[in-house]
Amino acid sequence: MPSELECAMQSLITVFYRYAGKDKDKDTSTLSRRELRELMENELSTFLKSQKDPAAVDKIMKDLDANGDGRVDFEEFVSLIVGLSIACEQCYKMHMKKMGKN
Amino acid sequence: MPSELECAMQSLITVFYRYAGKDKDKDTSTLSRRELRELMENELSTFLKSQKDPAAVDKIMKDLDANGDGRVDFEEFVSLIVGLSIACEQCYKMHMKKMGKN
């Protein structure tokens, strides 16, 4: 049986491909702007709601698209997840510190 | 309810802290060499078994420990998971390509 960590890595891949294959374009191994928007709206809604800027997805797309081809591949997608995970971990660490002090 | 992707990010953090807090040292927010070994043996056993080199964990520790303090923090740990996820995704892509050809 896969471990919790192996399941987490599997989830990154399956979620990415679930959305990468949505549009009926040829490229089912990268996210179009529309696919990225759908992924973020469904899978990262808490984060997206915290972004006041309506152009947030477009800006994220621009930031992620390191090679400038207008699409987000798995490596580029993972950099978003890493950034969010590190931000979450920093919150968690601060929370634990606060708890320890009380 | 958190999405599959949010659960995956949560797993990265909870698994990391489950092992970071194992040794009774003061530092419960980074992994010692022994904690990293335990994490990899339990949570990444498939990957570890594929490494023929008995010093694999030590080498990984050295690679991950970007700031050279002899411990692995969350950011350094995430870079291992990213590397493994990208490797897995490349295998998945090759597999799908092969399936498409048959």
Side-chain angles (χ1 to χ4, degrees), chain A residues 72-86:
Chain A
V72 168
D73 64 22
F74 185 74
E75 283 190 45
E76 292 163 345
F77 164 73
V78 165
S79 71
L80 169 67
I81 303 306
V82 165
L84 289 175
S85 301
I86 290 173

Side-chain angles (χ1 to χ4, degrees), chain A residues 14-76:
Chain A
T14 52
V15 169
F16 176 83
Y17 276 93
R18 190 180 307 147
Y19 290 87
K22 284 231 170 190
D23 282 356
K24 294 292 163 232
D25 48 17
K26 266 187 198 167
D27 193 342
T28 55
S29 65
T30 58
L31 297 168
S32 65
R33 188 180 299 261
R34 189 163 60 175
E35 287 165 341
L36 177 67
R37 180 179 296 279
E38 208 174 331
L39 185 155
M40 294 197 68
E41 281 171 356
N42 295 338
E43 305 286 337
L44 296 168
S45 59
T46 319
F47 165 68
L48 205 59
K49 273 177 204 152
S50 73
Q51 302 294 310
K52 307 283 180 229
D53 186 348
V57 175
D58 290 337
K59 285 188 181 164
I60 291 166
M61 178 88 192
K62 211 177 151 193
D63 282 348
L64 291 182
D65 182 19
N67 62 4
D69 65 353
R71 305 190 65 97
V72 168
D73 64 22
F74 185 74
E75 283 190 45
E76 292 163 345

Side-chain angles (χ1 to χ4, degrees), chain B residues 1-93:
Chain B
M1 223 186 78
S3 70
E4 187 176 350
L5 205 52
E6 285 163 343
C7 287
M9 297 197 299
Q10 197 177 17
S11 288
L12 297 185
I13 298 173
T14 51
V15 168
F16 177 83
Y17 276 94
R18 189 180 307 148
Y19 289 87
K22 284 231 169 186
D23 281 357
K24 295 293 163 230
D25 49 18
K26 268 187 197 166
D27 193 342
T28 55
S29 65
T30 58
L31 297 168
S32 65
R33 188 181 300 260
R34 190 163 57 174
E35 287 165 340
L36 177 68
R37 180 179 296 279
E38 208 174 332
L39 186 156
M40 295 197 67
E41 280 172 356
N42 295 338
E43 305 285 338
L44 296 168
S45 59
T46 318
F47 165 68
L48 205 60
K49 273 176 203 154
S50 72
Q51 303 294 309
K52 307 282 178 231
D53 187 349
V57 176
D58 290 335
K59 286 189 181 162
I60 290 165
M61 177 91 194
K62 212 176 153 195
D63 283 347
L64 291 183
D65 182 20
N67 62 4
D69 65 353
R71 304 190 66 95
V72 169
D73 65 21
F74 184 73
E75 284 190 44
E76 291 163 345
F77 164 72
V78 165
S79 71
L80 169 67
I81 304 304
V82 164
L84 289 176
S85 300
I86 290 173
C88 288
E89 189 262 346
Q90 283 167 346
C91 289
Y92 174 79
K93 215 155 61 181

